[in-house]
Amino acid sequence: MEVDMTVKVGIPRGLMYYYYYPLWQEYFTNLGGEVLTSPKTNKAILDMGVKSALDETCLPVKVFYGHVAWLKDKVDYIFIPRLISVEWKEYICPKFMGLPDMIRANISGLPAVIDTTLDMSKSPKNKLKFAREIGLIFTSNPWVMANAWKKAVLKQKAYETLLVSKKMFPEEAIAYLQEKNNRILEANNYRLNIALLGHGYNIYDSYISMSIINKLRERGVNVYTADLLEVEEINNEAAKLPKRMFWTFGRKSIGGASFFLSNNKVDGMIHVASFGCGPDSMVGELILRQTRRNSNIPILTLTIDEHSGEAGVVTRLEAFLDMLSRRVAL
Ligand code: SF4
């Protein structure tokens, strides 16, 4: 059965939002849906998430729960894809695989959930199957579906170009594509350069990260993240690992760190990790070892959860920046 053209689809502003929002938003819109995105994370959203999720869940997943809770009474469908793999021969954290089930079990009164599976581990072509299954919810017309997907892919490419070529961060690039921000940021020429490593859903969510990017910029720091690098730059560096890293985000963080180190691009690195995250503890350790073995660049690890206080983060950041400034001045 085809749904009517005004169906509202909710996209929670969390987790993979920071990687794929332009693709999803454009696809749903061109399929005839109206997309409602939850607002930026705030205390009320975090509180709703903490209330619904199990205690031991990592902070970004709790925040995602909060975004779902915010959307659930406002939309006809809510988009919580079952993500197993987003790259060929690689996987992502198993929490993404169970996300739709965990949310159904913990949040009552949900609208219909679009929980289509994406598993590109065996073949990149599986993303077309993913797109088709979603498209069939809206239309049985293959031309409408194909056209909507083509536009969505182009939008995603434009988004990724803004990240890599214009060095915009995700929210800046999304606002630019939506014509809410027509300003291409001028490259700053600050004295300190820092690589900020970690999951996009941690470092770009200003509530989770306590606006770390703005705090660094306000203190005169050029901030670089792995998402602003060319895919080949990351892949070439990740290929130097003795064993293939089959976690997409881990490979990106380690490949990014290695790129920044081998190109002498940064004065220091900050790794933002989620408390209780298995992948982060392993990736963090690998980045530390790699940094100590190949350079004398200082690295700060910030492990965050919902109890992390902003004052503590600011104190550690300022001490780190003071130390870097002294090193640079020597
Ligand atoms: S990788 Fe870590 S932070 Fe991300 S969802 Fe999994 S446990 Fe949470």
Side-chain angles (χ1 to χ4, degrees), residues 58 60-61 93 95-96 199 201 274 277 279-280:
C58 61
V61 169
C93 169
K95 287 216 170 75
F96 286 89
H199 300 293
Y201 42 80
S274 296
C277 168
D280 271 355

Side-chain angles (χ1 to χ4, degrees), residues 34-243:
E34 183 188 331
V35 169
L36 179 65
T37 312
S38 50
K40 288 188 177 176
T41 308
N42 54 39
K43 183 164 182 336
I45 287 178
L46 173 64
D47 288 348
M48 284 191 283
V50 169
K51 213 169 100 194
S52 327
L54 295 175
D55 281 350
E56 55 270 26
T57 311
C58 61
L59 179 59
V61 169
K62 283 180 180 155
V63 164
F64 190 85
Y65 275 56
H67 283 277
V68 172
W70 187 92
L71 283 166
K72 75 181 173 96
D73 300 319
K74 303 176 179 72
V75 293
D76 307 299
Y77 284 83
I78 195 151
F79 185 52
I80 312 175
R82 189 182 303 281
L83 302 177
I84 297 173
S85 159
V86 293
E87 298 277 351
W88 187 40
K89 292 187 177 171
E90 289 184 3
Y91 291 92
I92 55 172
C93 169
K95 287 216 170 75
F96 286 89
M97 195 191 306
L99 199 59
D101 306 318
M102 292 194 299
I103 287 187
R104 279 196 186 96
N106 291 294
I107 301 182
S108 56
L110 288 174
V113 175
I114 301 177
D115 62 352
T116 315
T117 299
L118 176 62
D119 180 2
M120 289 167 57
S121 61
K122 304 277 184 301
S123 165
K125 287 191 185 148
N126 282 349
K127 72 175 162 229
L128 297 177
K129 182 169 168 264
F130 172 75
R132 186 168 181 279
E133 281 175 27
I134 293 172
L136 283 172
I137 301 171
F138 293 79
T139 178
S140 52
N141 184 330
W143 300 110
V144 172
M145 234 186 276
N147 189 39
W149 184 245
K150 195 171 152 199
K151 286 185 175 166
V153 170
L154 286 175
K155 185 57 86 71
Q156 181 70 15
K157 280 201 176 128
Y159 171 67
E160 288 167 9
T161 301
L162 287 174
L163 302 187
V164 175
S165 305
K166 302 295 176 193
K167 305 299 177 209
M168 286 184 170
F169 291 121
E171 290 286 23
E172 294 163 347
I174 289 168
Y176 185 84
L177 289 172
Q178 292 174 338
E179 296 175 358
K180 289 182 188 155
N181 160 19
N182 56 11
R183 190 170 62 100
I184 295 278
L185 291 178
E186 296 299 322
N188 290 315
N189 200 13
Y190 295 132
R191 213 157 65 97
L192 282 182
N193 296 294
I194 289 187
L196 186 60
L197 306 168
H199 300 293
Y201 42 80
N202 280 336
I203 57 181
Y204 303 126
D205 183 316
S206 53
Y207 196 83
I208 291 183
S209 71
M210 297 171 225
S211 300
I212 192 166
I213 292 177
N214 285 345
K215 284 188 170 72
L216 289 168
R217 282 175 169 170
E218 282 161 15
R219 287 161 176 79
V221 174
N222 296 313
V223 183
Y224 299 92
T225 68
D227 300 299
L228 310 192
L229 299 177
E230 300 278 356
V231 176
E232 296 74 41
E233 289 173 332
I234 292 185
N235 289 348
N236 292 343
E237 293 295 328
K240 294 178 187 166
L241 286 168
K243 272 181 96 174

